[in-house]
Amino acid sequence: MKRNGEMTGMDREIVQIISHNAVIVKGSSNVHFVAFGKGIGFKKKEGMMIQQSDIIQEYMMQPVTGSKSM
């Protein structure tokens, strides 16, 4: 929920829509998550906010480091 243009700790900003039921979101500390919930991405756009209560499961994304190329 936005209050005077600010994010509260329970809000997530949509970074990318994967499907109607999965989105990539950014938390308040710029940490990215894959979030799942029934219809969580339906009629949503990148940059829109979703509430924590709409998320059923979420997984924190971490950058891949030290990967070897073939």
Side-chain angles (χ1 to χ4, degrees):
M1 186 181 310
K2 280 192 175 185
R3 294 182 188 166
N4 299 327
E6 297 179 9
M7 289 191 303
T8 63
M10 301 300 271
D11 286 348
R12 303 276 193 255
E13 179 183 350
I14 297 174
V15 176
Q16 183 178 356
I17 298 169
I18 299 171
S19 70
H20 291 308
N21 300 316
V23 293
I24 297 175
V25 295
K26 179 172 60 172
S28 58
S29 59
N30 282 338
V31 176
H32 287 75
F33 299 88
V34 178
F36 298 92
K38 185 174 181 180
I40 200 168
F42 184 68
K43 291 191 177 181
K44 298 286 194 311
K45 303 278 185 194
E46 293 175 4
M48 293 178 83
M49 305 300 292
I50 57 172
Q51 293 183 1
Q52 182 70 32
S53 61
D54 295 333
I55 299 172
I56 294 172
Q57 284 186 321
E58 65 181 2
Y59 298 93
M60 186 180 354
M61 297 175 64
Q62 297 181 352
V64 177
T65 58
S67 63
K68 297 180 181 180
S69 60
M70 296 177 102

